[in-house]
Amino acid sequence: MEHITLLIGIVIVTALVFDFTNGFHDTANAMATTISTGALAPRAAVAMSAVLNLLGAFLSIEVAKTISSGIIDEGSGIQPEVIFAGLVGAIIWNLLTWLAGLPSSSSHALMGGLIGATLAAVGMGAVNGDVVVMKVLIPALAAPLVAGIASVCATRLTYRVARHADEERTAKGYRAGQITSAALVSLAHGTNDAQKTMGVITLALVTGGALAPGSDPPVWVIASAGLAIALGTYLGGWRIIRTMGKGITDIQPPQGFAAQTSAAATILASSHIGFSLSTTHVCSGAVMGSGLGRKGGVVRWGTAGRMFIGWGLTLPAAGGVAAGAALLAKQGDWGVTTVAVLAVVLCGAIWLRSRRAPVDHTNVNEVEPAVAAQAAEIPSPAAEPEPQPESEPAGVVTNAIRAVSPPPPPAGVSAAGVAAEETTAAEPARSTGRPASASSFR
């Protein structure tokens, strides 16, 4: 029993570490557009988002129930070390995508880790496939489409309503609207993503015998999960904020307001019905929709393509890492210890690699080099040079003029200097009545 208690403690700490990485990984979802348009200063934006993530954690437990008793069968023999392995897979994938500045889903990393570890340790029978399809895979496909379509419509409506208004006055109003909608997204993020960690901790307590199956998360679990995600949010995932705010499209205040409002509505609706939705998918879809909705707006499909690839790899990649960790952790105490040491070493290596090109609140609004190169490849219509007429062979008159024209002045000598020298040389010639010699011009 003491071993189980210690192992549960390790699982709880690891779950809170994942929740912390979830916080800074997903800060961009709420604050990328607000920071990129200058509606809020970077530090103020992440501080506001952190507080609202904490508050949102106390608003609902429906998603926590989906994680704790929906995807994985609690009575199938799942042990705490399996949950530990699943969390390790999710954390490693979160950090790798953060290093690449890729807005991927922390939610899908967690679910992929849990599913992969369960399949490796117990088998297919322990995974509720219908729940995975109905509450994970279908929302993963539908959510960005729904949010994107809503954002396209909201962006077009916003520009249409304000087409005759003063641009400077409306910009101020939209910035205020952005702050309000960003606050709503942060609150929605707390109601959805913080609950996932609550569900994992509750699942660990159930498998360890500390809670009865089907129990709701205790208050201390809710509070600790809320604090962990709030702390991670405050530190800010600046790399991903840069990608989402500057890499997908150039966002103006009306677009930011429309995108965040659409995303918040989608997330809150999914939290109410218990869908374990990816806020990253929703917010990324809304940002792309805002780019498509503005006349003349451009979506950088190269960056979007990288995101789509990352989204497709998240479940299998996190699941693969978690499956290997689960097989190792099943070997006993030495296996669990080995997994923990390897996880710490990998996390440390990723952090050290990130220090080579740091991104923080001071340079978050600078366009990343890959995006700048991509933008340079797209010629602007206004910048295209006017077509020049084809050169024609010079005629007799032109050649004659060139023959009698004086040579160009030497480098570093201005035309005015040459004229002054010619005037000085000509004065002696007038006084003597003789032409100036060739040496007078030297």
Side-chain angles (χ1 to χ4, degrees):
M1 188 66 183
E2 290 181 358
H3 169 73
I4 293 295
T5 302
L6 176 61
L7 191 54
I8 290 175
I10 293 173
V11 171
I12 291 172
V13 171
T14 308
L16 294 176
V17 171
F18 166 78
D19 206 22
F20 173 80
T21 66
N22 190 353
F24 72 73
H25 198 280
D26 288 2
T27 308
N29 297 338
M31 291 300 167
T33 60
T34 306
I35 292 172
S36 68
T37 60
L40 273 177
R43 279 296 185 192
V46 296
M48 183 184 79
S49 183
V51 172
L52 291 169
N53 266 287
L54 176 59
L55 293 177
F58 290 89
L59 295 183
S60 173
I61 59 171
E62 292 301 320
V63 176
K65 290 181 180 179
T66 299
I67 297 293
S68 64
S69 59
I71 295 176
I72 306 299
D73 185 1
E74 296 171 329
S76 60
I78 298 294
Q79 297 298 315
E81 55 263 30
V82 177
I83 302 172
F84 170 65
L87 288 166
V88 168
I91 290 170
I92 297 300
W93 182 252
N94 261 3
L95 291 178
L96 285 173
T97 50
W98 163 76
L99 179 64
L102 195 63
S104 70
S105 172
S106 297
S107 306
H108 287 186
L110 175 60
M111 288 178 283
L114 289 176
I115 293 171
T118 301
L119 291 175
V122 181
M124 282 289 296
V127 178
N128 295 324
D130 55 340
V131 176
V132 173
V133 172
M134 294 301 298
K135 292 200 171 185
V136 178
L137 296 181
I138 291 179
L141 296 174
L145 291 176
V146 171
I149 293 171
S151 182
V152 169
C153 297
T155 302
R156 290 182 178 176
L157 178 63
T158 299
Y159 277 103
R160 181 173 294 274
V161 169
R163 64 184 182 277
H164 298 306
D166 181 70
E167 187 173 345
E168 291 186 3
R169 293 179 59 186
T170 55
K172 292 179 181 179
Y174 282 127
R175 286 193 177 96
Q178 270 192 279
I179 296 172
T180 303
S181 58
L184 193 58
V185 172
S186 298
L187 192 66
H189 185 263
T191 66
N192 200 285
D193 279 44
Q195 289 188 57
K196 298 180 177 85
T197 301
M198 299 177 206
V200 171
I201 295 175
T202 303
L203 180 60
L205 294 173
V206 170
T207 58
L211 283 179
S215 299
D216 291 341
V219 175
W220 68 267
V221 171
I222 297 174
S224 59
L227 287 170
I229 200 169
L231 180 59
T233 300
Y234 179 70
L235 289 183
W238 304 111
R239 293 173 180 272
I240 301 175
I241 290 175
R242 172 190 281 184
T243 299
M244 192 172 289
K246 293 291 184 181
I248 299 175
T249 185
D250 297 320
I251 299 177
Q252 296 178 353
Q255 292 173 268
F257 171 70
Q260 288 175 315
T261 303
S262 303
T266 306
I267 295 168
L268 287 173
S270 69
S271 297
H272 179 69
I273 58 180
F275 279 164
S276 183
L277 199 65
S278 167
T279 55
T280 301
H281 289 189
V282 173
C283 294
S284 300
V287 170
M288 283 188 279
S290 71
L292 294 173
R294 177 170 68 90
K295 187 178 180 180
V298 175
V299 174
R300 298 186 179 95
W301 293 110
T303 302
R306 287 173 52 214
M307 286 196 319
F308 296 151
I309 293 172
W311 293 358
L313 290 176
T314 296
L315 280 168
V321 174
L327 292 175
L328 190 57
K330 281 184 66 179
Q331 307 306 313
D333 292 347
W334 71 268
V336 174
T337 303
T338 303
V339 171
V341 171
L342 289 175
V344 171
V345 170
L346 281 173
C347 292
I350 293 170
W351 184 82
L352 289 175
R353 176 64 181 82
S354 72
R355 295 300 88 197
R356 296 184 184 179
V359 180
D360 55 26
H361 66 283
T362 62
N363 62 353
V364 67
N365 278 333
E366 296 176 5
V367 180
E368 57 181 332
V371 174
Q374 182 181 346
E377 294 176 358
I378 304 175
S380 172
E384 292 182 358
E386 295 182 358
Q388 299 294 332
E390 296 181 1
S391 57
E392 298 179 356
V396 177
V397 177
T398 304
N399 288 330
I401 293 174
R402 288 177 181 171
V404 298
S405 297
V413 179
S414 63
V418 174
E421 290 182 5
E422 291 177 355
T423 302
T424 305
E427 289 177 356
R430 294 192 198 99
S431 60
T432 59
R434 293 176 296 163
S437 63
S439 62
S440 303
F441 293 100
R442 295 180 186 154

